[in-house]
Amino acid sequence: MERGSSEPPVARSTGSTQSSSTGSVPIPRSSSVSYHAHSGSKKHRQIPLCKRSMSFDPGLLHNNGHTAYANGTGSGIRETGVVEKLLTSYGFIQCSERQARLFFHCSQYNGALQDLKIGDDVEFEVSSDRRTGKPIAVKLLKIKPEVLPEERISGQVGPDLHAYPFTVLHGYIHPVVSSIPLHLDGKSAPGQMPTGSVCYERNGEVFYLTYTPDDVEGNVHLDTGDKVSFYMDTNKLTGAVSARNIQLVKKKQMRCQGVVCATKEAFGFIERADVVKEIFFHYSEFKGDLDALQVGDDVEFTIKDRNGKEVATDVRLLPQGTVVFEDIDYKLHEGTVVKVIPKIPTKNQNDPLPGRINVRIGFTEKELPFGEKDTRSKVTLLEGDHVQFNISTDRRDKLERATRIDILPDTFNFTKEAREMGVIAAIRDGFGFIKCVDRDARMFFHFSEVLEETQLHISDEVEFTVVPVGPVYNHFRKDMLSAQRNHAVRIKKLPKGTVSFHTQSEHRFVGVVEKEVVAVTSKNASPTKGKEKVEFSINEVKRTGQQSAVSIRVLNRNSSNAKRLHGFVATLKDNFGFIETANHDQEIFFHYSEVCGDVENLELGDTVEYTLSKGKGNKVSAEKVTKVAAVNGVGEDISASVMMGKVIRPLRSVDPSQTEYQGLIEVPEEGGTKGQTYPFGIMGMGNKADCLQKGELVKFQVCTVPQTGQKMACNVVPQRRAVVECVKDQFGFLTYEVGESKKLFFHVKEVQDGLELQAGDEVEFSVVLNQRTGKCSACNVRRVSEGPKPVVTPRPDRLVNRLKSITLDDASAPRLVILRQPRGPDNSKGFNVERKTRQPGVID
């Protein structure tokens, strides 16, 4: 290769090439550098020595007493080097072709000595000093640099040349950068400088140039794959070529990550993990199963510019949990809610975190935002609430917010809200109603408003706050009603006995009856008007303030000789009941006002003590009813044998139309003839709440009543079995005849062992009577055997033959036309979340 030639270099060449026609000249290592100059460039620069044109006149040189070689024979070979040291009369040259440092005298320089400077390139011959024999440089000639257009190399960068094929476009060379590692950028071992490399391809050959942080313009860090432009530079001493004045042209197109935040019919949006921003993507850019793509999936993508807007391309799924937006500090903080999230967002509300919590951290007070998803439960937050939470920091913009918010139990001391009390009156699927102490109307509530994740049941006592839910839209008048609908929030379960709908005075009052009680079902032995003096307490209804006299006792009636009798509670109605006598053959009426103590503590079968009194029409009733310790039931003499029988007459509490109180059981004889009968009362029942119906088969034992010697049935247990007719969500029906109904209702919570009954299952159960509605239902339902499994009914032959005869070309064949594709509530393709049956009173 001739000097100054523009032929491409050999890849990674470090040896010498053929010399020119004037002689064999060694080529420095810098010959492995190649470039392609921009046209029109006028900038001057030094070029590699192997490519410089030299002006040399042998007539100007002289030996001056020195031989060309050390031995003084032959003509000298010209070498090149760089002036390393220059004094008044002598200097030193660093050879470019070999590791040597040669002395020269200024008299050997051909030219104006004042033009020679340190760092200049020179050409010389090697001779030897006659006195010392050491090699010296003679016949020095300064090399004049050739004026060449200087180029700035530019192109695209990448980590692997084979992964990113480049071509020469418009005279530009496309290089590849191997970046300086971040942990070494700007620092390295003492005496060393961290380096990276730039490589580029030309005519199928690869060339590498090193660079240091000082070679990069501007305070930027280069990453592998960045697009840069640079100049090539040659070290005059070593001849090594490197890149200098490196400028970043374009950062590498990095893969971004995010989470799918919305999906539409043909496109969606991704919440980016690098900036607080959403980016659009079309389903055609998703590389995977589109049907499996859901909101909340982690994805990675590449950002491209289309029509002036950024879009996500090459979208691919990532393992769940890969993308992390925030760092959560697990230290618990306490604060006060100063701004709540509005239930109905306004049109101008663009803040995704509208709530605010005031917290003191150290000596600094902060106001942290929060959103709907930052609360652990869906319980309504109110201003002033005392809450506990964690602090989350967004990695993208370092925004802090409160999350995992819980209401503290002492919050009601801070909010000073008006709390009301009531009793759970009804429970439905996900909601219910409360009978309020201070309001007439029942109050609606949702299960999500229950504090402490407690399970509510009917008759549970609760405390709550009443809030309006805003105006209600009238679909008929097409306007907003002015009245607001209230509902209960922040519901807290209370201990039994806390809620009372009325207050009773502790002080006893004395008065005279002004008007007698007139009622068929009420107490008959009422005090007589104007004749009897009574003692009583005053009961006041909290809701209405209405007062009434209760616990009335007649003072001037001679009751000193009244005998105290024992009996058993047989029936409990709304405001009265009946007592079974000690002989178990009659029942005595009593009014709740005559009960000494809390009526709520009375249960069927309880032993009571009472006094008989006669009222209007000489009807007998019980007064001064007091619950006492239990005594023996029906009798002590109980036979060991268990008998089977059939109920031929129920108790009068089951059938009020009959005159006799006692029920009757018949033991059938062989051959179907009528057998012996045994009466029974409430104390003879195995389950006092069970309602024995006429015709039911029972097991029982026989006992003797000590007072009368009568034989009676005791420990009566019904032998009921029935088949489940159907089950619907939280209730079902049994094929069992009770009164006029041929079906018996049951609730799924009455099924023992938590089993799920199916139609056709055989069960055992008890029958209970609702005293308020007068309807019977099944309780203590126990499955005896499973019913037959449902078998798929085969298609009728006529339908099979019809389908076989129909072809796709048959114009008369039925056609299926899709009018509308299925869509979920959020316009997604159907429901992806598994739907579960909700239990009553259970909060998810």
Side-chain angles (χ1 to χ4, degrees):
M1 181 192 302
E2 296 183 1
R3 297 182 182 181
S5 171
S6 61
E7 290 297 320
V10 179
R12 301 183 183 270
S13 174
T14 58
S16 62
T17 60
Q18 287 290 344
S19 66
S20 64
S21 58
T22 60
S24 176
V25 179
I27 303 296
R29 284 178 294 172
S30 61
S31 62
S32 63
V33 178
S34 177
Y35 61 90
H36 192 86
H38 291 290
S39 61
S41 176
K42 300 296 183 180
K43 195 172 182 180
H44 294 261
R45 65 178 291 266
Q46 288 187 341
I47 64 174
L49 296 177
C50 63
K51 299 186 179 182
R52 295 172 182 169
S53 298
M54 306 206 180
S55 300
F56 170 57
D57 186 0
L60 297 177
L61 299 178
H62 56 85
N63 290 333
N64 196 21
H66 297 280
T67 59
Y69 294 93
N71 56 8
T73 62
S75 60
I77 298 177
R78 304 291 289 176
E79 293 188 26
T80 58
V82 178
V83 177
E84 184 185 54
K85 188 174 183 180
L86 185 61
L87 300 177
T88 304
S89 60
Y90 65 93
F92 290 92
I93 298 172
Q94 178 68 44
C95 298
S96 298
E97 291 83 0
R98 55 194 174 97
Q99 294 293 330
R101 188 171 181 264
L102 301 180
F103 170 89
F104 75 93
H105 195 272
C106 290
S107 61
Q108 292 295 319
Y109 176 68
N110 185 12
L113 190 61
Q114 62 269 20
D115 295 335
L116 187 64
K117 297 180 177 59
I118 296 175
D120 285 347
D121 295 327
V122 294
E123 190 180 48
F124 57 91
E125 291 182 6
V126 179
S127 183
S128 59
D129 191 288
R130 291 181 178 178
R131 292 179 299 171
T132 64
K134 293 182 180 181
I136 60 174
V138 297
K139 302 181 181 180
L140 276 70
L141 182 64
K142 185 177 180 180
I143 300 175
K144 297 180 180 179
E146 182 182 4
V147 178
L148 292 175
E150 188 177 27
E151 62 166 346
R152 172 170 282 277
I153 302 174
S154 64
Q156 186 177 353
V157 296
D160 190 347
L161 201 64
H162 299 288
Y164 295 83
F166 305 110
T167 57
V168 177
L169 300 175
H170 306 292
Y172 288 85
I173 300 175
H174 293 244
V176 180
V177 157
S178 174
S179 64
I180 301 173
L182 285 174
H183 67 282
L184 293 180
D185 195 357
K187 60 180 181 178
S188 61
Q192 297 181 358
M193 177 69 72
T195 60
S197 64
V198 179
C199 66
Y200 61 94
E201 181 181 6
R202 182 182 178 190
N203 297 333
E205 296 177 317
V206 181
F207 302 91
Y208 289 83
L209 301 176
T210 60
Y211 76 96
T212 65
D214 296 336
D215 295 321
V216 182
E217 293 185 356
N219 188 20
V220 295
H221 175 79
L222 295 181
D223 294 315
T224 301
D226 288 344
K227 183 177 180 181
V228 296
S229 65
F230 58 90
Y231 291 113
M232 300 174 72
D233 188 37
T234 304
N235 189 306
K236 296 179 181 180
L237 299 179
T238 63
V241 181
S242 62
R244 65 178 176 85
N245 300 107
I246 300 174
Q247 293 179 353
L248 176 65
V249 177
K250 186 178 181 181
K251 294 294 290 183
K252 176 190 173 184
Q253 195 174 47
M254 303 293 291
R255 294 286 285 173
C256 299
Q257 294 182 343
V259 174
V260 178
C261 59
T263 54
K264 305 297 182 181
E265 187 171 351
F267 59 91
F269 292 90
I270 299 171
E271 179 76 17
R272 292 173 57 175
D274 53 342
V275 293
V276 184
K277 188 178 180 181
E278 293 181 2
I279 188 169
F280 168 91
F281 76 98
H282 194 271
Y283 286 166
S284 59
E285 292 291 345
F286 180 70
K287 311 301 181 184
D289 184 8
L290 189 59
D291 294 333
L293 185 66
Q294 298 179 357
V295 173
D297 284 345
D298 293 353
V299 293
E300 66 172 358
F301 54 91
T302 301
I303 299 177
K304 288 188 178 180
D305 186 85
R306 290 180 180 172
N307 299 326
K309 294 183 179 180
E310 289 185 338
V311 297
T313 62
D314 191 20
V315 183
R316 300 177 185 271
L317 277 177
L318 291 174
Q320 201 68 16
T322 303
V323 180
V324 179
F325 289 101
E326 57 193 8
D327 297 313
I328 298 178
D329 179 11
Y330 288 94
K331 180 182 177 181
L332 289 175
H333 301 269
E334 293 184 6
T336 304
V337 178
V338 294
K339 183 180 178 182
V340 297
I341 302 173
K343 289 290 185 180
I344 304 177
T346 60
K347 293 182 179 179
N348 299 327
Q349 180 181 330
N350 297 320
D351 188 1
L353 304 173
R356 295 292 184 271
I357 292 177
N358 193 13
V359 59
R360 186 176 185 87
I361 302 177
F363 298 99
T364 307
E365 283 195 0
K366 288 186 177 182
E367 194 173 88
L368 300 177
F370 67 94
E372 290 184 359
K373 297 181 180 180
D374 289 320
T375 54
R376 285 186 181 271
S377 66
K378 298 300 181 182
V379 176
T380 300
L381 287 178
L382 297 179
E383 291 184 4
D385 268 338
H386 192 204
V387 294
Q388 179 179 269
F389 58 91
N390 300 107
I391 296 179
S392 170
T393 305
D394 197 307
R395 294 183 175 182
R396 299 170 292 181
D397 57 359
K398 306 304 178 184
L399 174 68
E400 290 184 337
R401 79 173 199 276
T403 187
R404 300 180 179 177
I405 302 171
D406 276 325
I407 299 178
L408 291 174
D410 62 348
T411 187
F412 302 113
N413 300 330
F414 293 84
T415 58
K416 298 180 181 179
E417 59 195 281
R419 300 287 284 173
E420 299 186 18
M421 291 191 292
V423 175
I424 302 296
I427 289 180
R428 302 288 186 267
D429 188 9
F431 63 92
F433 294 90
I434 300 173
K435 182 181 178 182
C436 304
V437 172
D438 302 320
R439 298 173 184 261
D440 293 330
R442 296 197 304 177
M443 192 63 60
F444 171 87
F445 74 94
H446 197 276
F447 285 167
S448 61
E449 291 290 348
V450 180
L451 294 168
E452 302 173 358
E453 298 184 357
T454 53
Q455 184 174 349
L456 295 181
H457 301 89
I458 293 176
S459 77
D460 280 348
E461 299 177 12
V462 293
E463 183 184 59
F464 56 91
T465 302
V466 177
V467 297
V469 296
V472 182
Y473 187 77
N474 190 330
H475 291 276
F476 299 99
R477 292 172 49 192
K478 303 297 182 183
D479 61 358
M480 302 299 289
L481 298 180
S482 58
Q484 291 186 328
R485 182 164 55 91
N486 296 332
H487 65 181
V489 298
R490 303 157 68 87
I491 300 168
K492 181 180 180 181
K493 189 175 180 180
L494 299 176
K496 206 73 174 176
T498 305
V499 177
S500 175
F501 288 88
H502 52 80
T503 57
Q504 185 170 327
S505 62
E506 297 181 359
H507 181 70
R508 297 284 290 176
F509 298 88
V510 177
V512 177
V513 178
E514 292 185 353
K515 184 179 179 180
E516 299 179 24
V517 177
V518 180
V520 177
T521 58
S522 62
K523 181 178 180 295
N524 293 302
S526 62
T528 306
K529 175 182 178 181
K531 295 181 180 180
E532 295 181 318
K533 196 175 184 180
V534 294
E535 183 186 59
F536 60 93
S537 298
I538 296 178
N539 181 76
E540 182 178 345
V541 179
K542 291 182 178 180
R543 184 176 69 253
T544 61
Q546 182 182 359
Q547 294 181 340
S548 59
V550 296
S551 303
I552 302 171
R553 185 170 66 88
V554 181
L555 297 178
N556 57 359
R557 181 180 294 172
N558 186 12
S559 57
S560 58
N561 298 326
K563 184 179 179 181
R564 299 290 287 171
L565 303 174
H566 283 87
F568 310 94
V569 178
T571 307
L572 292 172
K573 298 291 185 179
D574 284 340
N575 57 358
F576 64 93
F578 291 90
I579 298 173
E580 183 182 280
T581 61
N583 295 335
H584 313 288
D585 56 352
Q586 291 181 358
E587 60 180 358
I588 306 296
F589 171 89
F590 74 97
H591 194 270
Y592 286 169
S593 61
E594 291 292 345
V595 176
C596 300
D598 191 358
V599 180
E600 300 292 335
N601 292 331
L602 284 182
E603 294 181 0
L604 294 177
D606 283 350
T607 304
V608 293
E609 189 179 60
Y610 61 96
T611 302
L612 289 178
S613 66
K614 286 187 178 182
K616 221 171 185 183
N618 289 328
K619 291 186 177 181
V620 179
S621 64
E623 62 180 17
K624 299 181 182 179
V625 180
T626 307
K627 183 178 178 180
V628 296
V631 298
N632 292 333
V634 179
E636 297 181 352
D637 185 14
I638 302 175
S639 63
S641 61
V642 178
M643 305 178 68
M644 292 289 296
K646 181 179 180 182
V647 177
I648 60 175
R649 186 180 70 207
L651 291 173
R652 190 161 63 183
S653 58
V654 177
D655 184 9
S657 61
Q658 67 186 33
T659 57
E660 297 86 355
Y661 162 70
Q662 290 180 319
L664 204 60
I665 299 175
E666 181 184 56
V667 179
E669 299 287 345
E670 294 182 3
T673 59
K674 292 184 178 180
Q676 189 174 358
T677 59
Y678 297 92
F680 68 93
I682 189 67
M683 298 305 294
M685 300 284 295
N687 180 8
K688 306 297 187 292
D690 209 342
C691 295
L692 288 179
Q693 304 293 322
K694 183 178 179 180
E696 286 191 316
L697 296 177
V698 294
K699 285 183 179 180
F700 65 96
Q701 294 172 284
V702 178
C703 65
T704 304
V705 180
Q707 296 89 337
T708 61
Q710 183 184 16
K711 300 286 186 180
M712 294 186 67
C714 64
N715 298 331
V716 181
V717 179
Q719 301 298 299
R720 298 190 186 99
R721 287 201 177 188
V723 176
V724 178
E725 183 180 84
C726 63
V727 178
K728 299 178 180 179
D729 195 16
Q730 300 299 313
F731 62 91
F733 291 93
L734 305 178
T735 307
Y736 190 79
E737 186 174 352
V738 179
E740 298 179 356
S741 176
K742 295 185 178 181
K743 296 180 183 179
L744 184 62
F745 171 89
F746 73 93
H747 198 278
V748 293
K749 67 181 181 181
E750 295 292 346
V751 180
Q752 296 182 0
D753 302 327
L755 298 176
E756 292 186 6
L757 297 181
Q758 304 291 336
D761 289 349
E762 188 178 13
V763 295
E764 290 181 348
F765 55 93
S766 299
V767 177
V768 293
L769 176 65
N770 189 317
Q771 301 288 351
R772 186 163 56 90
T773 63
K775 294 182 179 181
C776 293
S777 62
C779 67
N780 301 327
V781 182
R782 185 176 66 87
R783 186 170 66 185
V784 178
S785 62
E786 294 187 35
K789 299 295 182 181
V791 180
V792 179
T793 306
R795 291 181 174 180
D797 293 337
R798 57 181 179 79
L799 179 58
V800 174
N801 295 333
R802 170 64 175 161
L803 293 176
K804 287 181 179 179
S805 63
I806 293 177
T807 62
L808 295 178
D809 299 329
D810 189 358
S812 63
R815 298 293 179 181
L816 176 64
V817 179
I818 298 176
L819 300 179
R820 182 178 62 194
Q821 292 288 352
R823 285 286 183 271
D826 55 352
N827 290 326
S828 60
K829 293 184 177 181
F831 296 91
N832 296 321
V833 181
E834 182 182 355
R835 309 184 79 182
K836 299 183 294 185
T837 302
R838 183 187 293 276
Q839 299 295 332
V842 177
I843 302 174
D844 293 336

